[in-house]
Amino acid sequence: MIAASASAPGKIILFGEHAVVYGQPALAAPVACVQATARVEPAREGHWIEARDIGRRYRLEAPRPNDPLAAAARLALQRLGLAEAPAFTLTVASSIPLASGPGSGAAVSTAIVRALAAAFGQQWRPAEVSALVFETERLLHGTPSGIDNTVIAYAQPVWFIKGQAPEPFAVGAPFQLLIADTGRPSPTRVTVGEVRAGWQREPERYEVLFQAIGALARHARGLIQAGQPAALGALMTRNHALLGELGVSSPELETLVAAAQTAGALGAKLSGGGRGGNLIALVTAETAAGVEAALCQAGAARVITTTIEKTPAAG
Ligand code: PMV
């Protein structure tokens, strides 16, 4: 084995979270300015995981139950056919805030899988990496749709339907988003479980909401491809309202969405599991600074700017 490093981007869900778990389409994009990194180095003895951000160092063989870092490493070693791997230390770090960040779990797992593959002389295709990371997502989420591991492993904007091959989608004109962290961590497993309980209680009402969210995702894909991103704002705000009806908004999210809109955002919505976590706001070069200031003043813990770039093949 050789020393090797790998990284993976964060992600945002543009449209379709939660409904995607029930077969509706969703759109997601990578966020390159936040990254998870993993480095594998030969060691004198044992297999060690060092998670710098949370100040933990432990043996791969003795993690807490459902430890996603250990699961990612074990799955990668299995895939490499290494029942007895040589001794190594695996160091992971992430600039994506845990449990409220854009795809932090899947990004860390992706970086681990890639770094271990590289340390043993292999480079796996995005589909292979995504499939391994999906297994670790199951530990975290219970019933993940697979969108996080897909968008992060492919590192490009994707149109995603559960159980189908992801389709990279064309972006006809670039658009700018602010990602604001409510500062309130919210494990996706909890909100996904609550939506499931709601759906079991009131299947018809929830199906109508899921379908309405799916229709927004289809409409949004057309606008993005056609290079008309400004029109996305209204769809984002509508998607946010539907997520509220699913029960996954929160007072913090409502305050920040309203602040973004008052300050001139074209639209805003929660992004990801909800009940805290992050929201995205659609801005222009003229409104970005004002909306960012308004979000900070309304209590956002952190605001990141990201641009969804025009894809080379588009228009
Ligand atoms: O909380 P995040 O950013 O990992 O996003 C979860 C997206 C959900 O649709 C709520 C769950 C899923 O598995 O698709």
Side-chain angles (χ1 to χ4, degrees), residues 11-21 26-29 31 99-104 137 141 145 147-148 151 179-180 182 184-193 195 213 236 239-240 242-244 246-250 253 268-281:
K11 69 102 218 325
I12 43 171
I13 298 182
L14 299 170
F15 289 93
E17 52 274 270
H18 286 292
V20 69
V21 176
L27 292 164
V31 179
S100 64
S104 60
E137 289 282 284
H141 287 203
S145 64
I147 192 167
D148 282 10
V151 66
I179 308 169
T182 58
R184 178 170 162 183
S186 172
T188 302
R189 167 190 280 280
V190 173
T191 51
V192 168
V195 170
I213 292 173
M236 286 169 63
N239 194 164
H240 180 74
L242 291 167
L243 286 162
L246 287 180
V248 295
S249 190
S250 69
L253 283 163
K269 65 179 277 294
L270 72 84
S271 178
R275 197 66 63 64
N278 290 273
L279 67 107
I280 52 175

